[in-house]
Amino acid sequence: MTASPSPLVLVTGATGYIGGLLVPTLLDRDLPVRVISRSPARLRRHDWASRVEVVEGDAGSPADLDRALAGVDVAYYLLHSMDGKGDFVTRDRHLAEVFAAAAKRAGVRRVVYLSGLHPSGELSAHLGSRVEVGRILMASGVPTVVLQAGVVLGAGSASFDMLRHLTERLPAMVAPRWLRNRIQPIAIDDVLHYLAAAAVLPGEPNRTFDIGGPDVLTYAEMIEGYARVTGLGHRLIVTVPVLTPGLASLWVGLVTPVVAGIARPLVGSLIHEAVTAEDDLLVLVGPPPGGRTGFEDAVRRATAGIDPTRWRRTATAVGAMTAGCAVLGSVFTAPGSRWYRSLRTPAWQPPPAAFPIVWTTLFTTIALAATATITELEEDGRPEEAERFTRAYAANLAVNAAWSGLFFRAHATRTSSVVAGLLATSAADLARRAAPTGRGKAASFGAYAAWCAFATALNAAVARRNPRR
């Protein structure tokens, strides 16, 4: 007798995090793999690209799906629209409906989908959408295996990246009280084990399976665990009842590289506990080789090529520069001097008490944004851009301190107007340089530039009213 050929497998989302790791896992199990991608050129960064069949097409197009699914035995559905660009719930629903219909037409034997662990009852938009997609696929008439996982621990996972950056960047934090909810994280290697095993499950299961690691922790405990494994030391976490998911996501978007549009649904999902209710798949296919990976071991693997102290070093250097500018500027500034009190000022000048409050807030914000920008450029493999940004930031601080000396000590109101204009221009340039790393960083420098522009107009108005001073 001749052995039956291995089933042809289609992987959607192969350019994404899970899909990009699943393809070589399936190939190592001698399964022939086909992928569909709108941008086949993006696949070239993977060393497995030459070992798969590539169909160029859009997974939202019925015609393209018909071509991609022809002759396919098992199809992995690893698509989602959580990209910060509009209504991802509606887009995910449409994509799932189109895919379900195409899989049925093609006679696919099984669909495998990775969803999220969730409790019963009302869910966040993110988890609710994941659950809805699973139901659409299971109702398609094609037997569907839906794996439900919580936080996936692996370098490149958005949920892990959020955990990592929050821990590395915030030695102390005020956090929502639902960071005390229980979560059962799972290592990426274990997720891949279960996904690959789902392709060859006997029978025609059409159901959900919960998958998780051996540890049940709160998010706060995961932060503490990450800090402990990476040698960062204790993290102080104070929970409060008033920090909403929307506010928390904006904070995450400023502090971490996770954009607010993605951080918002991720943060929103943390209001739910995410613990397995059954271990049926573990019983059916057995544990991963070596057993399920514990939280600390998963963190060690995920951070093998990461420098967890980069943020701390950068923050120290940026903080020293910023504090030096603030101290020098405060030494030069003399709002109580006889000269300053004799100046004729415009009616729209803010009260004296406003200036230290505004400048302290701005210095704190831009120091945080500068640290995040420099760190993220370095971690992105763009050290030259990080160095140029650092030099531009240092130059901006030098101009800032110089303005205080020119205005308050040299009484050069006209020259200081020109320098204030240079400062505003420099701040706007910093916003431009920071923009590729996230809107939160650019917005911080944008607010700084706006205040510097206001200060320029105020300085010019004082110079006009006091021509001989």
Side-chain angles (χ1 to χ4, degrees), residues 33 119 234 448:
V33 176
H234 175 66
Y448 175 49

Side-chain angles (χ1 to χ4, degrees), residues 10-67:
L10 174 73
V11 176
T12 62
T15 57
Y17 173 65
I18 298 291
L21 294 173
L22 176 62
V23 169
T25 302
L26 297 173
L27 291 171
D28 288 345
R29 296 192 176 202
D30 296 323
L31 293 172
V33 176
R34 177 187 294 166
V35 302
I36 178 172
S37 175
R38 287 176 296 182
S39 306
R42 292 178 57 191
L43 298 173
R44 294 173 189 159
R45 63 188 174 93
H46 296 290
D47 56 11
W48 48 255
S50 61
R51 302 167 59 197
V52 302
E53 178 188 352
V54 179
V55 173
E56 182 173 0
D58 186 341
S61 163
D64 290 348
L65 283 176
D66 286 344
R67 289 188 296 112

Side-chain angles (χ1 to χ4, degrees), residues 38-259:
R38 287 176 296 182
S39 306
R42 292 178 57 191
L43 298 173
R44 294 173 189 159
R45 63 188 174 93
H46 296 290
D47 56 11
W48 48 255
S50 61
R51 302 167 59 197
V52 302
E53 178 188 352
V54 179
V55 173
E56 182 173 0
D58 186 341
S61 163
D64 290 348
L65 283 176
D66 286 344
R67 289 188 296 112
L69 288 166
V72 165
D73 189 62
V74 177
Y76 283 90
Y77 188 81
L78 303 175
L79 303 173
H80 63 81
S81 304
M82 197 177 69
D83 53 11
K85 299 177 182 178
D87 183 3
F88 69 88
V89 174
T90 300
R91 286 185 289 154
D92 275 346
R93 180 186 305 122
H94 174 71
L95 277 174
E97 290 171 345
V98 171
F99 188 88
K104 179 66 174 176
R105 285 196 303 272
V108 172
R109 180 180 63 83
R110 174 173 299 163
V111 170
V112 180
Y113 169 59
L114 181 62
S115 184
L117 275 178
H118 60 89
S120 58
E122 186 176 353
L123 299 174
S124 68
H126 171 219
L127 284 178
S129 176
R130 291 295 179 94
V131 171
E132 181 184 29
V133 167
R135 288 172 179 165
I136 290 171
L137 296 173
M138 286 188 290
S140 66
V142 177
T144 299
V145 174
V146 177
L147 306 187
Q148 300 183 145
V151 171
V152 176
L153 303 172
S157 160
S159 54
F160 177 75
D161 285 347
M162 189 169 76
L163 169 70
R164 172 203 160 197
H165 290 298
L166 286 175
T167 308
E168 291 178 1
R169 300 179 179 195
L170 297 174
M173 66 187 79
V174 177
R177 63 184 176 186
W178 26 266
L179 257 66
R180 304 295 179 184
N181 289 348
R182 297 181 307 151
I183 298 171
Q184 191 167 353
I186 182 170
I188 180 59
D189 289 345
D190 294 5
V191 173
L192 297 173
H193 166 77
Y194 291 122
L195 281 171
V200 292
L201 276 178
E204 297 184 347
N206 189 55
R207 54 161 291 190
T208 63
F209 291 93
D210 291 352
I211 57 174
D215 302 312
V216 177
L217 308 163
T218 66
Y219 201 88
E221 288 172 336
M222 295 199 322
I223 289 174
E224 285 286 3
Y226 183 96
R228 183 170 55 254
V229 169
T230 55
L232 292 174
H234 175 66
R235 264 39 192 164
L236 175 64
I237 303 172
V238 178
T239 57
V240 295
V242 295
L243 195 57
T244 66
L247 289 174
S249 67
L250 292 175
W251 164 59
V252 170
L254 173 63
V255 176
T256 80
V258 182
V259 297

Side-chain angles (χ1 to χ4, degrees), residues 373 377 385 388-389 392-393 426 428-437:
T373 300
L377 288 173
E385 289 183 50
R388 288 195 293 270
F389 182 91
Y393 184 72
S426 171
D429 178 62
L430 289 173
R432 177 189 65 81
R433 293 173 183 268
T437 66

Side-chain angles (χ1 to χ4, degrees), residues 250-293:
L250 292 175
W251 164 59
V252 170
L254 173 63
V255 176
T256 80
V258 182
V259 297
I262 295 176
R264 187 172 295 111
L266 287 179
V267 170
S269 298
L270 294 177
I271 65 175
H272 305 298
E273 295 207 327
V275 180
T276 59
E278 43 82 9
D279 289 318
D280 295 352
L281 191 61
L282 176 64
V283 173
L284 284 172
V285 305
R292 293 188 297 171
T293 308

Side-chain angles (χ1 to χ4, degrees), residues 365-380:
T365 304
I366 65 170
L368 178 60
T371 301
T373 300
I374 294 166
T375 302
E376 286 157 31
L377 288 173
E378 288 178 344
E379 290 186 346
D380 248 4

